[in-house]
Amino acid sequence: MNTGEKIRAASWWLTWRDLQWPDDDVADAIERRADVFAESGANCAVIFGAHFRWDYLPLWLNLHDLIATIADALHRRGVKLFDHHSSVLTHRYGSIEESRTMRRCNRHHIPFAPSRDVASTWSFNGELLDSWRMIDVATGKPVFLPAYTAEEFCINNPGFRAAYAKYVKMLLDSTGIDGLMSDDGFFYAGWSACGCQWCRKKFRERYGRELPPVDDLTFWGNYAGDAFRDWIEMRYASTREFLENVRNAVGPDFPLMSCCSSSADYSMARFALTYQEFCFPCSCIMLEMTGNTPALDGSWSTPFPEQALHLGIAARHDFPCLGLGYGYTEDTADFIWAFNKFLGSSTWFSTLKGRLGLPDSKMTELKDDPELVGRAYNWEKLHPGLFGGETDTRTALFFSRWTRDFYGMTPEDYTADYNSACIELLNHNVTFDVVTEIPASGGKYHTLVLPSAQCLSDGEYEALNGFLASGGRVIASGPVGRRDRRAEMRQTPWLAQFSIACEMADAVRPGSFPPGAGLRGEVVSCRGFLNGTAVKSSEWIRIEHGKGILFWTPGRMQSDAEALHLPGVILHGESFPLEAEQAHGWRFRCFRGTSGEKIIHGLASAFEVSLMEDLEKERKNPRGNNLISTISRKDSDSELMLKTGEGVSSVELYFPIAGDRTVVSVSAGGRMKLHIPEKVFYFLLVLKPRT
């Protein structure tokens, strides 16, 4: 991959047949498959299969040679290879029924797994593998994950850390891979993990605390108590420190990523899962689009706030963002590629056949991954200049990590406000970036949106003041800056300095195990006062401060979005690169190319989705993605009227999937009329400036 080139990845699936390696038939199949990858326009293949890598300990020599052979075949064709495996999960079964479940639901792992009795004898680096297991804090027994028929090794166990680092070095030395996706290094079992001696020791030495039994509700689920907040903080630190250990093993420049489908959801403290920690040791931001893309109802916007956050983290660190979507047909591959281009992300397309619960004889009816992506990937390969640059916006939306970590026990506490704000801007075609730090004054952003960011660190508090005083616009809604980084009430809330009082009765949250058990979501309304005068929940007040302007409303985005009309507040007095005068059923994101041109991505907002009904009926596992056969846009205009600003010399219209390109005329007022063919659901407009 050239510097700055987007990743175009597809999964290279290993199967039970590959375990015959070394074998001439397998070698021939590798060469043929590598040809297909090269012809597809992919520049990266990612290993999928042999996933629970510790279960393959007796076969590592053969497996690594197999991966090395695949890497060599791809390298001769100019394609890179990433390995992808679970660092901590191990399939375990004690009965033939558990074994049957393991293979039915997770056949894509190639679950070559020892029984518990045999596993208890396995050792590596001088230690028994069983000595590394995470321990359930309630039972004192090893944690077990029924969905995976698996146990998990503890990321805080020093013996396991040393062993995994040794394995990673062996892997790199023996395979010649170009990158690593080290999966699952977090607390997969949630609040049940981990009560092992090493987690307890770390909690004791780092925070001076003992981990209490689960019936101590002064600790468990007590977000108002320092002790439980320390436990949350330590768990997040543990996921980062484990990946730092992996980084030390692979070296400073080796491409490294981990799997993460969410960093915004309120429940992430349960798993200690967030790319806001992963990004420090990793060098690529992973974004797994779980579920169907698009959804069976034809929508695709629900996960957009998660994707926007990962894009923001990637931009902050100047890392590639790799969006993984699942499908089984050219239509789904085309859509997942188009969606990633709309986001501004690289693409990893994958099938997920082994989770369907179908026999091999039925799965052979489905095409291999690289056979599905050629239409989109080869077009991108021919037009790399259309997918570089950065978002063309001066608006940022702040994601408050500390509110999520230490205050958000239900979606209604914070993340529902964040999600609603993102969706509102998306639905009104306002291009924006999500940021995890308050931007510096005088930088790219002029407008900063803060929906219900209760918890601000001292540094964020001061940076927000600096952004405002230097001429920025702050658009804040709901309870902003009432609490500090650890959710303690501030003596001087951030809004108080503007003579604003924001009052709300926080929901009652008793301790419990697991934390949050039985809690019902509750949207707590705010009451606002400016100099003692009440402010309506549907009202924005405007305050000039220094060179900047503060807009604030006591309304909550999740309940009052329609009345507040956030996009209108943002657009007031601002110039944007595109106005959709007639474009029902389309969403737009605007980018600025490396040569200064504006590049507008248009994506239909809703689809008709059809399934492979016959195969769907034969599935024995309801989990995982459905077999979507076709998608087509619905309820969207074919005749569009768009308006752009002055200074445009020419406009080119591209239909990537169809391979068409036309020149569009622009009126003196900047208006453009577009005709979008019925089968087109994604297009690009390139607006070249007058010189």
Side-chain angles (χ1 to χ4, degrees):
M1 287 170 283
N2 299 323
T3 302
E5 184 182 12
K6 297 286 188 183
I7 300 170
R8 302 183 300 276
S11 293
W12 182 296
W13 284 94
L14 302 180
T15 68
W16 288 99
R17 182 176 298 175
D18 291 308
L19 299 189
Q20 299 176 88
W21 185 260
D23 175 85
D24 288 345
D25 286 343
V26 175
D28 290 343
I30 288 171
E31 292 294 325
R32 291 194 299 272
R33 202 176 198 184
D35 282 338
V36 177
F37 263 89
E39 292 165 2
S40 75
N43 57 15
C44 182
V46 186
I47 292 290
F48 220 136
H51 192 53
F52 287 11
R53 193 59 56 86
W54 289 102
D55 293 350
Y56 281 77
L57 190 152
L59 299 180
W60 279 353
L61 176 65
N62 290 34
L63 178 64
H64 290 175
D65 190 66
L66 171 66
I67 294 173
T69 304
I70 296 169
D72 176 66
L74 289 169
H75 291 166
R76 284 186 275 111
R77 293 162 174 83
V79 181
K80 293 186 180 293
L81 179 67
F82 280 39
D83 187 25
H84 161 224
H85 65 255
S86 178
S87 58
V88 296
L89 296 181
T90 58
H91 283 301
R92 292 292 181 264
Y93 63 97
S95 68
I96 195 64
E97 189 54 42
E98 283 187 342
S99 176
R100 185 174 289 111
T101 298
M102 176 179 69
R103 285 174 168 79
R104 181 179 67 248
C105 299
N106 295 291
R107 193 173 183 84
H108 56 301
H109 292 171
I110 322 178
F112 177 85
S115 67
R116 287 191 176 90
D117 288 342
V118 171
S120 67
T121 68
W122 283 13
S123 64
F124 179 75
N125 207 34
E127 296 188 4
L128 290 171
L129 273 59
D130 274 5
S131 70
W132 301 334
R133 292 179 294 183
M134 284 191 178
I135 301 300
D136 192 304
V137 297
T139 67
K141 298 178 180 180
V143 299
F144 185 68
L145 307 168
Y148 283 119
T149 325
E151 295 176 347
E152 182 175 7
F153 295 147
C154 184
I155 57 178
N156 282 324
N157 186 306
F160 171 67
R161 284 193 179 191
Y164 185 63
K166 183 176 181 178
Y167 171 72
V168 167
K169 291 177 182 177
M170 289 171 53
L171 175 71
L172 267 61
D173 289 343
S174 59
T175 61
I177 57 172
D178 305 289
L180 173 64
M181 180 171 167
S182 178
D183 260 10
D184 305 328
F186 54 92
F187 298 94
Y188 232 119
W191 295 117
S192 294
C194 171
C196 78
Q197 61 171 315
W198 301 107
C199 286
R200 293 176 183 273
K201 182 175 184 286
K202 187 172 188 174
F203 198 39
R204 184 184 310 117
E205 293 180 351
R206 189 168 294 190
Y207 294 96
R209 301 186 187 279
E210 296 292 337
L211 187 66
V214 296
D215 59 358
D216 183 352
L217 302 188
T218 64
F219 175 86
W220 290 102
N222 180 12
Y223 275 69
D226 259 346
F228 188 62
R229 292 187 294 221
D230 285 343
W231 181 242
I232 292 172
E233 186 172 282
M234 189 195 87
R235 286 156 57 83
Y236 274 120
S238 298
T239 59
R240 182 194 70 246
E241 291 161 4
F242 174 71
L243 282 169
E244 287 172 346
N245 185 63
V246 181
R247 167 56 68 196
N248 291 335
V250 301
D253 301 319
F254 193 78
L256 175 65
M257 60 183 174
S258 191
C259 187
C260 188
S261 61
S262 174
S263 292
D265 192 78
Y266 78 99
S267 65
M268 288 304 99
R270 174 184 172 193
F271 306 105
L273 176 62
T274 176
Y275 244 109
Q276 287 170 280
E277 293 292 349
F278 292 177
C279 63
F280 295 105
C282 290
S283 54
C284 181
I285 306 300
M286 172 65 192
L287 175 61
E288 184 180 16
M289 303 174 188
T290 56
N292 296 307
T293 308
L296 294 186
D297 66 1
S299 66
W300 50 261
S301 62
T302 299
F304 177 77
E306 296 282 4
Q307 293 147 350
L309 173 57
H310 278 217
L311 286 166
I313 297 170
R316 167 70 180 81
H317 295 272
D318 196 25
F319 291 162
C321 188
L322 184 58
L324 166 61
Y326 300 103
Y328 300 99
T329 59
E330 285 90 345
D331 275 20
T332 51
D334 289 344
F335 177 80
I336 287 164
W337 172 80
F339 187 33
N340 274 300
K341 299 302 100 180
F342 177 84
L343 294 170
S345 178
S346 291
T347 309
W348 173 9
F349 174 78
S350 182
T351 61
L352 202 57
K353 303 183 182 98
R355 187 160 280 169
L356 293 170
L358 292 171
D360 287 345
S361 59
K362 293 295 182 181
M363 289 194 289
T364 55
E365 298 176 20
L366 303 171
K367 291 183 178 180
D368 195 14
D369 303 44
E371 297 178 79
L372 302 173
V373 298
R375 212 158 42 191
Y377 279 11
N378 278 309
W379 199 90
E380 180 181 350
K381 184 179 179 180
L382 290 172
H383 302 84
L386 296 179
F387 304 105
E390 62 176 10
T391 49
D392 189 16
T393 183
R394 300 187 71 196
T395 298
L397 193 155
F398 177 67
F399 177 78
S400 174
R401 175 187 177 168
W402 310 124
T403 309
R404 179 204 62 196
D405 286 0
F406 299 120
Y407 184 80
M409 292 182 70
T410 72
E412 290 77 12
D413 290 336
Y414 169 60
T415 54
D417 288 294
Y418 164 77
N419 291 343
S420 295
C422 288
I423 296 298
E424 271 290 288
L425 299 186
L426 172 70
N427 287 344
H428 287 84
N429 293 317
V430 178
T431 300
F432 67 99
D433 294 331
V434 170
V435 294
T436 55
E437 298 179 359
I438 304 297
S441 57
K444 174 181 178 179
Y445 303 111
H446 176 56
T447 299
L448 181 63
V449 182
L450 291 90
S452 299
Q454 287 247 32
C455 303
L456 298 177
S457 68
D458 291 346
E460 290 167 347
Y461 191 111
E462 295 305 320
L464 192 54
N465 282 345
F467 181 84
L468 192 58
S470 64
R473 296 196 312 164
V474 173
I475 302 176
S477 60
V480 173
R482 296 174 71 234
R483 298 170 180 269
D484 65 13
R485 176 188 178 279
R486 296 261 294 196
E488 294 286 357
M489 291 295 293
R490 286 189 174 275
Q491 286 189 338
T492 306
W494 184 75
L495 291 168
Q497 60 190 312
F498 309 106
S499 301
I500 296 172
C502 176
E503 299 177 356
M504 64 180 290
D506 295 300
V508 177
R509 299 292 167 76
S512 64
F513 187 86
L519 282 183
R520 297 180 62 183
E522 179 183 353
V523 184
V524 180
S525 299
C526 300
R527 295 195 305 157
F529 301 88
L530 176 62
N531 293 316
T533 302
V535 181
K536 297 178 181 179
S537 62
S538 59
E539 178 184 0
W540 291 94
I541 59 173
R542 182 182 187 277
I543 298 174
E544 295 187 10
H545 181 77
K547 298 179 181 179
I549 301 172
L550 168 66
F551 294 87
W552 180 76
T553 176
R556 302 287 299 268
M557 285 303 304
Q558 61 186 293
S559 54
D560 304 311
E562 185 174 350
L564 292 172
H565 191 51
L566 174 63
V569 181
I570 292 174
L571 292 169
H572 182 71
E574 293 290 294
S575 60
F576 278 73
L578 181 74
E579 182 180 346
E581 295 184 341
Q582 178 183 314
H584 174 74
W586 291 92
R587 299 292 176 262
F588 301 99
R589 274 174 66 81
C590 302
F591 295 82
R592 186 172 292 276
T594 54
S595 300
E597 70 276 21
K598 296 179 187 294
I599 303 174
I600 297 166
H601 295 244
L603 183 65
S605 61
F607 291 83
E608 292 283 357
V609 173
S610 300
L611 297 179
M612 302 178 193
E613 297 290 354
D614 290 343
L615 283 180
E616 278 287 329
K617 291 175 183 177
E618 295 187 45
R619 291 180 59 180
K620 294 183 179 179
N621 179 27
R623 293 182 62 222
N625 300 75
N626 294 98
L627 289 151
I628 294 175
S629 57
T630 60
I631 62 171
S632 56
R633 64 181 173 94
K634 68 174 182 180
D635 300 331
S636 53
D637 290 338
S638 293
E639 305 298 327
L640 277 57
M641 184 66 73
L642 307 178
K643 182 180 179 182
T644 184
E646 302 294 330
V648 175
S649 65
S650 65
V651 177
E652 294 176 332
L653 172 62
Y654 294 89
F655 302 134
I657 305 305
D660 295 337
R661 169 189 170 275
T662 59
V663 176
V664 178
S665 60
V666 185
S667 71
R671 284 183 169 82
M672 301 171 285
K673 186 175 182 179
L674 311 181
H675 172 72
I676 309 300
E678 182 181 347
K679 292 186 177 181
V680 170
F681 60 77
Y682 169 66
F683 64 85
L684 294 98
L685 278 174
V686 180
L687 284 61
K688 296 185 177 180
R690 289 196 178 95
T691 56

